[in-house]
Structures are given as structure tokens and as C-alpha cells.
mmCIF file of all heavy atoms in Angstrom:
data_model
loop_
_atom_site.group_PDB
_atom_site.id
_atom_site.type_symbol
_atom_site.label_atom_id
_atom_site.label_comp_id
_atom_site.label_asym_id
_atom_site.label_seq_id
_atom_site.Cartn_x
_atom_site.Cartn_y
_atom_site.Cartn_z
ATOM 1 N N GLY A 347 0.866 -1.229 -0.012
ATOM 2 C CA GLY A 347 -0.023 -0.103 -0.020
ATOM 3 C C GLY A 347 0.856 1.232 -0.005
ATOM 4 O O GLY A 347 2.042 1.246 -0.250
ATOM 5 N N PRO A 348 0.282 2.423 0.411
ATOM 6 C CA PRO A 348 1.024 3.735 0.298
ATOM 7 C C PRO A 348 2.175 3.713 1.347
ATOM 8 O O PRO A 348 2.093 3.080 2.448
ATOM 9 C CB PRO A 348 -0.085 4.717 0.704
ATOM 10 C CG PRO A 348 -1.364 4.034 0.450
ATOM 11 C CD PRO A 348 -1.120 2.482 0.779
ATOM 12 N N PHE A 349 3.252 4.464 0.996
ATOM 13 C CA PHE A 349 4.281 4.756 1.895
ATOM 14 C C PHE A 349 4.792 6.097 1.806
ATOM 15 O O PHE A 349 4.531 6.807 0.737
ATOM 16 C CB PHE A 349 5.433 3.748 1.663
ATOM 17 C CG PHE A 349 6.169 3.961 0.346
ATOM 18 C CD1 PHE A 349 7.236 4.812 0.186
ATOM 19 C CD2 PHE A 349 5.812 3.222 -0.808
ATOM 20 C CE1 PHE A 349 7.841 5.107 -0.995
ATOM 21 C CE2 PHE A 349 6.509 3.374 -2.003
ATOM 22 C CZ PHE A 349 7.534 4.288 -2.203
ATOM 23 N N LYS A 350 5.358 6.649 2.813
ATOM 24 C CA LYS A 350 5.981 7.941 2.745
ATOM 25 C C LYS A 350 7.236 7.993 3.586
ATOM 26 O O LYS A 350 7.314 7.493 4.761
ATOM 27 C CB LYS A 350 4.988 8.958 3.450
ATOM 28 C CG LYS A 350 5.413 10.338 3.504
ATOM 29 C CD LYS A 350 4.271 11.187 4.138
ATOM 30 C CE LYS A 350 4.744 12.699 4.275
ATOM 31 N NZ LYS A 350 3.758 13.513 5.004
ATOM 32 N N ILE A 351 8.333 8.606 3.078
ATOM 33 C CA ILE A 351 9.571 8.689 3.818
ATOM 34 C C ILE A 351 9.915 10.190 3.703
ATOM 35 O O ILE A 351 10.130 10.728 2.722
ATOM 36 C CB ILE A 351 10.657 7.845 3.020
ATOM 37 C CG1 ILE A 351 10.186 6.395 3.030
ATOM 38 C CG2 ILE A 351 11.965 7.943 3.780
ATOM 39 C CD1 ILE A 351 11.172 5.376 2.285
ATOM 40 N N ASP A 352 10.161 10.773 4.916
ATOM 41 C CA ASP A 352 10.451 12.150 5.080
ATOM 42 C C ASP A 352 11.927 12.422 5.083
ATOM 43 O O ASP A 352 12.676 11.577 5.490
ATOM 44 C CB ASP A 352 9.792 12.741 6.346
ATOM 45 C CG ASP A 352 8.267 12.719 6.185
ATOM 46 O OD1 ASP A 352 7.741 12.960 5.108
ATOM 47 O OD2 ASP A 352 7.546 12.618 7.208
ATOM 48 N N ASP A 353 12.217 13.716 4.950
ATOM 49 C CA ASP A 353 13.665 14.330 5.185
ATOM 50 C C ASP A 353 14.708 13.421 4.313
ATOM 51 O O ASP A 353 15.839 13.188 4.870
ATOM 52 C CB ASP A 353 13.973 14.099 6.714
ATOM 53 C CG ASP A 353 12.998 15.054 7.450
ATOM 54 O OD1 ASP A 353 12.586 16.104 7.024
ATOM 55 O OD2 ASP A 353 12.677 14.476 8.639
ATOM 56 N N VAL A 354 14.404 13.115 3.135
ATOM 57 C CA VAL A 354 15.365 12.428 2.228
ATOM 58 C C VAL A 354 16.317 13.424 1.595
ATOM 59 O O VAL A 354 15.900 14.397 0.938
ATOM 60 C CB VAL A 354 14.663 11.678 1.191
ATOM 61 C CG1 VAL A 354 15.582 10.892 0.255
ATOM 62 C CG2 VAL A 354 13.678 10.709 1.737
ATOM 63 N N PRO A 355 17.615 13.346 1.825
ATOM 64 C CA PRO A 355 18.536 14.324 1.166
ATOM 65 C C PRO A 355 18.628 14.163 -0.322
ATOM 66 O O PRO A 355 18.284 13.212 -0.868
ATOM 67 C CB PRO A 355 19.893 13.852 1.925
ATOM 68 C CG PRO A 355 19.594 13.075 3.034
ATOM 69 C CD PRO A 355 18.298 12.321 2.670
ATOM 70 N N SER A 356 19.129 15.245 -0.939
ATOM 71 C CA SER A 356 19.311 15.272 -2.378
ATOM 72 C C SER A 356 20.230 14.173 -2.808
ATOM 73 O O SER A 356 21.205 13.858 -2.105
ATOM 74 C CB SER A 356 19.687 16.635 -2.826
ATOM 75 O OG SER A 356 18.838 17.640 -2.500
ATOM 76 N N GLY A 357 19.889 13.616 -4.009
ATOM 77 C CA GLY A 357 20.879 12.639 -4.521
ATOM 78 C C GLY A 357 20.021 11.609 -5.283
ATOM 79 O O GLY A 357 18.777 11.652 -5.448
ATOM 80 N N LYS A 358 20.810 10.572 -5.742
ATOM 81 C CA LYS A 358 20.183 9.529 -6.458
ATOM 82 C C LYS A 358 20.067 8.284 -5.497
ATOM 83 O O LYS A 358 21.003 7.916 -4.806
ATOM 84 C CB LYS A 358 20.991 9.082 -7.684
ATOM 85 C CG LYS A 358 21.061 10.120 -8.859
ATOM 86 C CD LYS A 358 21.729 9.624 -10.011
ATOM 87 C CE LYS A 358 21.688 10.729 -11.135
ATOM 88 N NZ LYS A 358 22.448 10.318 -12.328
ATOM 89 N N TRP A 359 18.901 7.702 -5.483
ATOM 90 C CA TRP A 359 18.601 6.616 -4.514
ATOM 91 C C TRP A 359 17.851 5.474 -5.309
ATOM 92 O O TRP A 359 17.338 5.669 -6.312
ATOM 93 C CB TRP A 359 17.675 7.080 -3.481
ATOM 94 C CG TRP A 359 18.115 8.140 -2.627
ATOM 95 C CD1 TRP A 359 18.102 9.500 -2.915
ATOM 96 C CD2 TRP A 359 18.787 8.154 -1.326
ATOM 97 N NE1 TRP A 359 18.621 10.390 -1.887
ATOM 98 C CE2 TRP A 359 19.039 9.529 -0.955
ATOM 99 C CE3 TRP A 359 19.057 7.107 -0.525
ATOM 100 C CZ2 TRP A 359 19.703 9.780 0.299
ATOM 101 C CZ3 TRP A 359 19.726 7.405 0.717
ATOM 102 C CH2 TRP A 359 19.943 8.702 1.098
ATOM 103 N N GLN A 360 17.921 4.343 -4.733
ATOM 104 C CA GLN A 360 17.104 3.203 -5.080
ATOM 105 C C GLN A 360 16.157 2.822 -4.045
ATOM 106 O O GLN A 360 16.504 2.772 -2.844
ATOM 107 C CB GLN A 360 17.949 1.894 -5.393
ATOM 108 C CG GLN A 360 18.679 1.957 -6.754
ATOM 109 C CD GLN A 360 19.212 0.568 -7.121
ATOM 110 O OE1 GLN A 360 19.465 -0.243 -6.246
ATOM 111 N NE2 GLN A 360 19.240 0.290 -8.416
ATOM 112 N N ILE A 361 14.851 2.597 -4.375
ATOM 113 C CA ILE A 361 13.847 2.246 -3.476
ATOM 114 C C ILE A 361 13.830 0.635 -3.453
ATOM 115 O O ILE A 361 13.737 0.091 -4.523
ATOM 116 C CB ILE A 361 12.482 2.792 -3.764
ATOM 117 C CG1 ILE A 361 12.532 4.258 -3.839
ATOM 118 C CG2 ILE A 361 11.365 2.311 -2.772
ATOM 119 C CD1 ILE A 361 11.165 4.840 -4.400
ATOM 120 N N LYS A 362 13.985 0.070 -2.339
ATOM 121 C CA LYS A 362 13.987 -1.418 -2.255
ATOM 122 C C LYS A 362 12.889 -1.745 -1.254
ATOM 123 O O LYS A 362 12.549 -0.974 -0.385
ATOM 124 C CB LYS A 362 15.333 -1.944 -1.865
ATOM 125 C CG LYS A 362 16.407 -1.643 -3.099
ATOM 126 C CD LYS A 362 17.680 -2.338 -2.687
ATOM 127 C CE LYS A 362 18.753 -2.207 -3.815
ATOM 128 N NZ LYS A 362 19.958 -2.849 -3.556
ATOM 129 N N VAL A 363 12.475 -3.057 -1.317
ATOM 130 C CA VAL A 363 11.572 -3.626 -0.386
ATOM 131 C C VAL A 363 12.095 -4.888 0.142
ATOM 132 O O VAL A 363 12.472 -5.866 -0.616
ATOM 133 C CB VAL A 363 10.123 -3.942 -1.102
ATOM 134 C CG1 VAL A 363 9.120 -4.456 0.001
ATOM 135 C CG2 VAL A 363 9.539 -2.601 -1.713
ATOM 136 N N ALA A 364 12.070 -5.063 1.384
ATOM 137 C CA ALA A 364 12.528 -6.297 2.067
ATOM 138 C C ALA A 364 11.168 -7.100 2.327
ATOM 139 O O ALA A 364 10.246 -6.639 2.950
ATOM 140 C CB ALA A 364 13.137 -6.117 3.450
ATOM 141 N N LEU A 365 11.172 -8.275 1.738
ATOM 142 C CA LEU A 365 9.969 -9.182 1.854
ATOM 143 C C LEU A 365 10.316 -10.408 2.663
ATOM 144 O O LEU A 365 11.471 -10.894 2.629
ATOM 145 C CB LEU A 365 9.572 -9.591 0.454
ATOM 146 C CG LEU A 365 9.125 -8.581 -0.511
ATOM 147 C CD1 LEU A 365 9.045 -9.084 -1.981
ATOM 148 C CD2 LEU A 365 7.706 -7.956 -0.100
ATOM 149 N N PHE A 366 9.330 -10.969 3.278
ATOM 150 C CA PHE A 366 9.479 -12.129 4.130
ATOM 151 C C PHE A 366 8.862 -13.385 3.483
ATOM 152 O O PHE A 366 8.607 -14.314 4.202
ATOM 153 C CB PHE A 366 8.911 -11.974 5.551
ATOM 154 C CG PHE A 366 9.541 -10.663 6.236
ATOM 155 C CD1 PHE A 366 8.752 -9.892 7.010
ATOM 156 C CD2 PHE A 366 10.841 -10.229 5.999
ATOM 157 C CE1 PHE A 366 9.232 -8.794 7.602
ATOM 158 C CE2 PHE A 366 11.418 -9.222 6.659
ATOM 159 C CZ PHE A 366 10.561 -8.460 7.482
ATOM 160 N N HIS A 367 8.486 -13.260 2.220
ATOM 161 C CA HIS A 367 7.927 -14.422 1.542
ATOM 162 C C HIS A 367 8.868 -14.805 0.373
ATOM 163 O O HIS A 367 9.095 -13.951 -0.557
ATOM 164 C CB HIS A 367 6.521 -13.978 0.966
ATOM 165 C CG HIS A 367 5.673 -15.104 0.697
ATOM 166 N ND1 HIS A 367 6.006 -16.163 -0.226
ATOM 167 C CD2 HIS A 367 4.493 -15.507 1.149
ATOM 168 C CE1 HIS A 367 5.016 -17.056 -0.261
ATOM 169 N NE2 HIS A 367 4.097 -16.617 0.542
ATOM 170 N N ASN A 368 9.345 -16.011 0.367
ATOM 171 C CA ASN A 368 10.333 -16.401 -0.576
ATOM 172 C C ASN A 368 9.847 -16.413 -2.066
ATOM 173 O O ASN A 368 10.683 -16.602 -2.949
ATOM 174 C CB ASN A 368 10.922 -17.769 -0.239
ATOM 175 C CG ASN A 368 11.710 -17.722 1.039
ATOM 176 O OD1 ASN A 368 12.321 -16.734 1.382
ATOM 177 N ND2 ASN A 368 11.730 -18.770 1.876
ATOM 178 N N ARG A 369 8.577 -16.481 -2.296
ATOM 179 C CA ARG A 369 8.036 -16.717 -3.606
ATOM 180 C C ARG A 369 7.837 -15.421 -4.339
ATOM 181 O O ARG A 369 7.546 -15.434 -5.531
ATOM 182 C CB ARG A 369 6.673 -17.445 -3.539
ATOM 183 C CG ARG A 369 6.859 -18.860 -3.198
ATOM 184 C CD ARG A 369 5.690 -19.642 -3.572
ATOM 185 N NE ARG A 369 4.344 -19.115 -3.118
ATOM 186 C CZ ARG A 369 3.556 -19.742 -2.195
ATOM 187 N NH1 ARG A 369 3.807 -20.964 -1.731
ATOM 188 N NH2 ARG A 369 2.464 -19.180 -1.777
ATOM 189 N N TYR A 370 8.083 -14.224 -3.625
ATOM 190 C CA TYR A 370 7.918 -12.927 -4.217
ATOM 191 C C TYR A 370 9.091 -12.150 -4.234
ATOM 192 O O TYR A 370 9.971 -12.310 -3.346
ATOM 193 C CB TYR A 370 6.652 -12.219 -3.565
ATOM 194 C CG TYR A 370 5.456 -12.953 -3.742
ATOM 195 C CD1 TYR A 370 4.916 -13.898 -2.818
ATOM 196 C CD2 TYR A 370 4.620 -12.636 -4.861
ATOM 197 C CE1 TYR A 370 3.781 -14.516 -2.968
ATOM 198 C CE2 TYR A 370 3.332 -13.320 -5.018
ATOM 199 C CZ TYR A 370 2.981 -14.245 -4.131
ATOM 200 O OH TYR A 370 1.812 -15.006 -4.224
ATOM 201 N N THR A 371 9.187 -10.992 -5.037
ATOM 202 C CA THR A 371 10.303 -10.182 -5.147
ATOM 203 C C THR A 371 9.854 -8.813 -5.617
ATOM 204 O O THR A 371 8.773 -8.713 -6.202
ATOM 205 C CB THR A 371 11.373 -10.698 -6.057
ATOM 206 O OG1 THR A 371 12.556 -9.865 -5.953
ATOM 207 C CG2 THR A 371 10.916 -10.697 -7.526
ATOM 208 N N ALA A 372 10.599 -7.720 -5.355
ATOM 209 C CA ALA A 372 10.255 -6.443 -5.775
ATOM 210 C C ALA A 372 11.613 -5.897 -6.395
ATOM 211 O O ALA A 372 12.719 -5.846 -5.838
ATOM 212 C CB ALA A 372 9.818 -5.537 -4.675
ATOM 213 N N SER A 373 11.451 -5.471 -7.698
ATOM 214 C CA SER A 373 12.621 -4.800 -8.392
ATOM 215 C C SER A 373 12.869 -3.469 -7.882
ATOM 216 O O SER A 373 12.012 -2.602 -7.512
ATOM 217 C CB SER A 373 12.354 -4.722 -9.819
ATOM 218 O OG SER A 373 12.100 -6.025 -10.433
ATOM 219 N N PRO A 374 14.149 -3.012 -7.702
ATOM 220 C CA PRO A 374 14.474 -1.704 -7.106
ATOM 221 C C PRO A 374 14.039 -0.736 -8.118
ATOM 222 O O PRO A 374 13.985 -0.892 -9.327
ATOM 223 C CB PRO A 374 16.053 -1.795 -7.083
ATOM 224 C CG PRO A 374 16.334 -3.175 -7.047
ATOM 225 C CD PRO A 374 15.343 -3.882 -7.776
ATOM 226 N N VAL A 375 13.682 0.504 -7.653
ATOM 227 C CA VAL A 375 13.201 1.641 -8.406
ATOM 228 C C VAL A 375 14.156 2.810 -8.171
ATOM 229 O O VAL A 375 14.449 3.188 -7.039
ATOM 230 C CB VAL A 375 11.815 2.004 -8.057
ATOM 231 C CG1 VAL A 375 11.364 3.274 -8.900
ATOM 232 C CG2 VAL A 375 10.800 0.869 -8.338
ATOM 233 N N ASP A 376 14.791 3.382 -9.270
ATOM 234 C CA ASP A 376 15.696 4.466 -9.161
ATOM 235 C C ASP A 376 14.895 5.719 -9.040
ATOM 236 O O ASP A 376 13.928 5.985 -9.787
ATOM 237 C CB ASP A 376 16.553 4.490 -10.394
ATOM 238 C CG ASP A 376 17.558 3.395 -10.477
ATOM 239 O OD1 ASP A 376 18.033 2.963 -9.388
ATOM 240 O OD2 ASP A 376 17.709 2.893 -11.565
ATOM 241 N N VAL A 377 15.368 6.664 -8.148
ATOM 242 C CA VAL A 377 14.704 8.004 -7.922
ATOM 243 C C VAL A 377 15.763 9.025 -7.799
ATOM 244 O O VAL A 377 16.789 8.719 -7.236
ATOM 245 C CB VAL A 377 13.618 8.039 -6.828
ATOM 246 C CG1 VAL A 377 12.505 7.076 -7.016
ATOM 247 C CG2 VAL A 377 14.373 7.619 -5.524
ATOM 248 N N SER A 378 15.431 10.211 -8.108
ATOM 249 C CA SER A 378 16.412 11.314 -7.878
ATOM 250 C C SER A 378 15.640 12.401 -7.006
ATOM 251 O O SER A 378 14.453 12.752 -7.275
ATOM 252 C CB SER A 378 16.786 12.044 -9.177
ATOM 253 O OG SER A 378 17.674 11.171 -9.929
ATOM 254 N N VAL A 379 16.322 12.774 -5.974
ATOM 255 C CA VAL A 379 15.723 13.810 -5.048
ATOM 256 C C VAL A 379 16.540 15.095 -5.201
ATOM 257 O O VAL A 379 17.751 15.040 -5.180
ATOM 258 C CB VAL A 379 15.721 13.279 -3.596
ATOM 259 C CG1 VAL A 379 15.346 14.359 -2.661
ATOM 260 C CG2 VAL A 379 14.914 12.031 -3.462
ATOM 261 N N SER A 380 15.874 16.190 -5.345
ATOM 262 C CA SER A 380 16.553 17.479 -5.502
ATOM 263 C C SER A 380 15.939 18.524 -4.639
ATOM 264 O O SER A 380 14.771 18.885 -4.786
ATOM 265 C CB SER A 380 16.431 17.867 -6.998
ATOM 266 O OG SER A 380 17.087 19.217 -7.153
ATOM 267 N N GLY A 381 16.746 19.024 -3.645
ATOM 268 C CA GLY A 381 16.215 20.135 -2.782
ATOM 269 C C GLY A 381 15.029 19.656 -2.000
ATOM 270 O O GLY A 381 14.932 18.559 -1.510
ATOM 271 N N GLN A 382 14.118 20.606 -1.955
ATOM 272 C CA GLN A 382 12.893 20.349 -1.072
ATOM 273 C C GLN A 382 11.767 19.937 -1.970
ATOM 274 O O GLN A 382 10.531 19.828 -1.510
ATOM 275 C CB GLN A 382 12.536 21.565 -0.337
ATOM 276 C CG GLN A 382 13.608 21.910 0.705
ATOM 277 C CD GLN A 382 13.230 23.202 1.493
ATOM 278 O OE1 GLN A 382 12.285 23.910 1.207
ATOM 279 N NE2 GLN A 382 13.982 23.518 2.497
ATOM 280 N N THR A 383 11.965 19.641 -3.227
ATOM 281 C CA THR A 383 10.886 19.290 -4.198
ATOM 282 C C THR A 383 10.476 17.837 -3.872
ATOM 283 O O THR A 383 11.237 16.905 -3.935
ATOM 284 C CB THR A 383 11.308 19.287 -5.676
ATOM 285 O OG1 THR A 383 11.803 20.624 -5.960
ATOM 286 C CG2 THR A 383 10.228 18.939 -6.563
ATOM 287 N N PRO A 384 9.142 17.618 -3.570
ATOM 288 C CA PRO A 384 8.636 16.274 -3.232
ATOM 289 C C PRO A 384 8.719 15.309 -4.403
ATOM 290 O O PRO A 384 8.554 15.738 -5.558
ATOM 291 C CB PRO A 384 7.143 16.509 -2.774
ATOM 292 C CG PRO A 384 7.111 17.911 -2.410
ATOM 293 C CD PRO A 384 8.064 18.640 -3.358
ATOM 294 N N VAL A 385 9.038 14.120 -4.082
ATOM 295 C CA VAL A 385 9.002 13.068 -5.120
ATOM 296 C C VAL A 385 7.716 12.185 -4.770
ATOM 297 O O VAL A 385 7.637 11.582 -3.665
ATOM 298 C CB VAL A 385 10.230 12.170 -5.103
ATOM 299 C CG1 VAL A 385 10.168 11.065 -6.145
ATOM 300 C CG2 VAL A 385 11.438 13.052 -5.372
ATOM 301 N N GLN A 386 6.771 12.152 -5.752
ATOM 302 C CA GLN A 386 5.493 11.553 -5.463
ATOM 303 C C GLN A 386 5.121 10.504 -6.456
ATOM 304 O O GLN A 386 5.769 10.411 -7.483
ATOM 305 C CB GLN A 386 4.373 12.665 -5.345
ATOM 306 C CG GLN A 386 4.582 13.676 -4.272
ATOM 307 C CD GLN A 386 3.607 14.822 -4.406
ATOM 308 O OE1 GLN A 386 3.097 15.176 -5.489
ATOM 309 N NE2 GLN A 386 3.188 15.366 -3.301
ATOM 310 N N ASN A 387 4.187 9.732 -6.077
ATOM 311 C CA ASN A 387 3.565 8.670 -7.022
ATOM 312 C C ASN A 387 4.517 7.731 -7.479
ATOM 313 O O ASN A 387 4.495 7.405 -8.668
ATOM 314 C CB ASN A 387 2.808 9.381 -8.229
ATOM 315 C CG ASN A 387 1.735 10.385 -7.656
ATOM 316 O OD1 ASN A 387 0.964 10.022 -6.747
ATOM 317 N ND2 ASN A 387 1.672 11.471 -8.300
ATOM 318 N N VAL A 388 5.471 7.254 -6.701
ATOM 319 C CA VAL A 388 6.395 6.255 -7.198
ATOM 320 C C VAL A 388 5.835 4.899 -6.872
ATOM 321 O O VAL A 388 5.424 4.595 -5.666
ATOM 322 C CB VAL A 388 7.747 6.448 -6.363
ATOM 323 C CG1 VAL A 388 8.740 5.340 -6.810
ATOM 324 C CG2 VAL A 388 8.371 7.720 -6.562
ATOM 325 N N ASN A 389 5.768 4.014 -7.783
ATOM 326 C CA ASN A 389 5.180 2.755 -7.727
ATOM 327 C C ASN A 389 6.223 1.636 -7.629
ATOM 328 O O ASN A 389 7.245 1.609 -8.390
ATOM 329 C CB ASN A 389 4.238 2.478 -8.834
ATOM 330 C CG ASN A 389 2.933 3.303 -8.710
ATOM 331 O OD1 ASN A 389 2.453 3.598 -7.668
ATOM 332 N ND2 ASN A 389 2.331 3.642 -9.891
ATOM 333 N N VAL A 390 6.112 0.816 -6.670
ATOM 334 C CA VAL A 390 7.092 -0.350 -6.530
ATOM 335 C C VAL A 390 6.215 -1.632 -6.677
ATOM 336 O O VAL A 390 5.241 -1.789 -5.960
ATOM 337 C CB VAL A 390 7.824 -0.385 -5.115
ATOM 338 C CG1 VAL A 390 8.758 -1.483 -5.186
ATOM 339 C CG2 VAL A 390 8.543 0.970 -5.011
ATOM 340 N N GLU A 391 6.523 -2.481 -7.645
ATOM 341 C CA GLU A 391 5.693 -3.638 -8.011
ATOM 342 C C GLU A 391 6.292 -4.890 -7.343
ATOM 343 O O GLU A 391 7.496 -5.186 -7.476
ATOM 344 C CB GLU A 391 5.622 -3.842 -9.390
ATOM 345 C CG GLU A 391 4.977 -2.676 -10.230
ATOM 346 C CD GLU A 391 3.378 -2.789 -10.055
ATOM 347 O OE1 GLU A 391 2.907 -3.800 -9.644
ATOM 348 O OE2 GLU A 391 2.741 -1.842 -10.421
ATOM 349 N N ILE A 392 5.490 -5.665 -6.497
ATOM 350 C CA ILE A 392 5.876 -6.957 -6.048
ATOM 351 C C ILE A 392 5.259 -7.970 -6.993
ATOM 352 O O ILE A 392 4.057 -7.954 -7.387
ATOM 353 C CB ILE A 392 5.314 -7.161 -4.629
ATOM 354 C CG1 ILE A 392 5.915 -6.145 -3.693
ATOM 355 C CG2 ILE A 392 5.512 -8.590 -4.241
ATOM 356 C CD1 ILE A 392 5.349 -6.225 -2.328
ATOM 357 N N VAL A 393 6.142 -8.871 -7.460
ATOM 358 C CA VAL A 393 5.672 -9.871 -8.422
ATOM 359 C C VAL A 393 6.212 -11.241 -7.939
ATOM 360 O O VAL A 393 7.161 -11.404 -7.093
ATOM 361 C CB VAL A 393 6.280 -9.633 -9.822
ATOM 362 C CG1 VAL A 393 5.703 -8.276 -10.364
ATOM 363 C CG2 VAL A 393 7.794 -9.579 -9.866
#
């Protein structure tokens, strides 16, 4: 579902998900954060 992470410094990051189910995985998503501009609507798919 929805997530929110505050106070992220500027730079390039990868969003990752730690799962406790061996049959599923989530591919990392690359994001760039610049200044105080919010980064929104980032979707991470579990397959």
C-alpha cells in the first residue's frame, strides 16, 4: 500500500523492499531527489 519517507537528502537513490515471503520479489526503483521538491507517486511492484 502507500508509503511515505520524510527528510530524504538530495541525490540518487534506489527504493527497495524487504519481503519475508520467498516466492515474491520487488525490483528496485531508481529515484532522484533534488532540494525540497517532493517526489510523489512512485510505484514499486511486487511480483
Side-chain angles (χ1 to χ4, degrees):
F349 68 87
K350 180 183 177 183
I351 303 174
D352 291 326
D353 300 324
V354 180
S356 298
K358 293 183 179 180
W359 300 82
Q360 278 194 335
I361 305 175
K362 296 186 175 182
V363 180
L365 297 167
F366 305 143
H367 201 303
N368 292 331
R369 292 201 303 246
Y370 295 91
T371 186
S373 297
V375 176
D376 294 321
V377 294
S378 292
V379 175
S380 179
Q382 297 180 351
T383 303
V385 179
Q386 300 174 324
N387 302 319
V388 179
N389 291 327
V390 183
E391 297 282 347
I392 295 176
V393 298

